Amino acid sequence: MIKQLSYLTLFILLVSACKKDETTSLQWGELAKEKREAIEQLIASEKCENLNDWTIEKAANYWCGHSYFPVHKRIKTQFEKLWNEYRELESKGIDAGIREGIIYEPCEEGIWHVSAPIQLICENGKAKLLYMKDLSLADSKAQIIPVKTRIDDYLNNLKCDGTNNWTSTLLLKDCGIDYIPYLTTANLIEIKKDIALYNSLKKNILEGEKPNCPVGEYMYPTGVKCVNNKPVVELSK
């Protein structure tokens, strides 16, 4: 009888272990939201008086990109623990979503831009991160001038001897977009930084000035050709 009970207990345990988690992606999302709120509350619990006690923490999201937080040195360990718990909830939510048939887009950067904060400040006793969008229109217009000069210098110095490994990226303009060619095998650190900065500053300017742009046909890039040793982005309707 004892042996039979042991087998029965083992069977129940195995069935329980194999039982599927029926928590939905929406439910996991609510749990993740609560954990994110707990992180914000932890940060807000520390008074901001000395900026030397604070750092900007770059935290990798589970799916795409990064999030940024002002973190006091006193709560760094707690922050890291909560963030790891948040990522775990996010991962379970995505896994549940995939089982539900939700299609998640791959992590692709459609337009180079600055996503990281540009400054950490104390405001009314609270730590606050400032982003590109927080720049004034006047500051954006002043800062974009040298960046555009560097991009123009980059374009003037570009040369090609074929079309292999060439592609393009977007550059915002007053009305519409331009396409900047680049060689995928080249060192892109500096030009990518400049184009990202230019696009972020240009976005601020466009939102501030709101130019009256006519509606036109969208031209999309179909490739890069080499004309007189200069790369030219080919466009099509």
Side-chain angles (χ1 to χ4, degrees):
M1 181 68 176
I2 294 175
K3 192 172 184 180
Q4 288 179 335
L5 284 174
S6 298
Y7 285 142
L8 179 61
T9 302
L10 179 60
F11 176 75
I12 292 172
L13 289 172
L14 286 173
V15 170
S16 298
C18 295
K19 187 178 179 181
K20 290 183 179 179
D21 186 347
E22 296 180 355
T23 308
T24 67
S25 60
L26 185 61
Q27 290 170 325
W28 284 120
E30 286 299 316
L31 292 172
K33 180 182 176 184
E34 290 174 6
K35 188 66 67 173
R36 186 91 178 206
E37 290 171 352
I39 293 172
E40 298 293 348
Q41 290 169 6
L42 174 67
I43 294 170
S45 69
E46 290 290 338
K47 192 171 183 181
C48 187
E49 296 175 319
N50 184 356
L51 282 177
N52 292 329
D53 293 334
W54 293 80
T55 56
I56 298 175
E57 293 296 320
K58 180 181 180 181
N61 297 325
Y62 176 74
W63 190 249
C64 294
H66 296 82
S67 295
Y68 299 88
F69 300 90
V71 177
H72 193 282
K73 61 183 180 182
R74 211 167 14 232
I75 61 170
K76 185 173 173 60
T77 300
Q78 292 171 271
F79 166 80
E80 290 174 347
K81 178 177 180 295
L82 286 175
W83 182 254
N84 287 332
E85 291 171 356
Y86 169 78
R87 275 173 49 92
E88 180 66 18
L89 293 170
E90 283 279 280
S91 72
K92 289 180 177 178
I94 290 174
D95 289 343
I98 291 172
R99 290 194 299 271
E100 294 163 9
I102 297 174
I103 298 174
Y104 294 93
E105 295 295 329
C107 299
E108 295 181 356
E109 193 173 25
I111 179 169
W112 294 348
H113 66 284
V114 177
S115 59
I118 58 175
Q119 191 178 1
L120 167 62
I121 65 170
C122 289
E123 184 176 270
N124 299 322
K126 299 296 182 183
K128 180 180 179 180
L129 297 180
L130 298 181
Y131 292 84
M132 292 295 298
K133 63 182 177 62
D134 296 310
L135 283 177
S136 68
L137 177 59
D139 285 341
S140 297
K141 293 177 77 170
Q143 291 187 28
I144 203 170
I145 295 171
V147 182
K148 184 60 165 64
T149 299
R150 292 196 297 271
I151 293 173
D152 288 341
D153 289 342
Y154 162 82
L155 291 172
N156 290 333
N157 292 323
L158 271 186
K159 295 187 182 301
C160 61
D161 55 11
T163 59
N164 290 338
N165 300 316
W166 283 94
T167 187
S168 62
T169 189
L170 305 176
L171 190 76
L172 296 177
K173 60 181 184 178
D174 289 340
C175 291
I177 49 179
D178 278 332
Y179 294 93
I180 304 295
Y182 67 91
L183 191 61
T184 57
T185 54
N187 185 339
L188 301 172
I189 294 175
E190 292 304 317
I191 186 58
K192 186 172 183 178
K193 187 187 302 181
D194 280 337
I195 291 176
L197 179 55
Y198 179 91
N199 282 334
S200 297
L201 291 168
K202 194 65 175 178
K203 183 174 182 289
N204 286 353
I205 295 169
L206 293 174
E207 290 179 349
E209 295 185 335
K210 296 180 174 57
N212 184 20
C213 296
V215 178
E217 291 183 300
Y218 174 69
M219 303 289 286
Y220 62 92
T222 57
V224 177
K225 60 183 179 181
C226 195
V227 180
N228 297 325
N229 298 118
K230 297 291 291 183
V232 178
V233 179
E234 294 183 290
L235 302 176
S236 179
K237 295 181 182 179

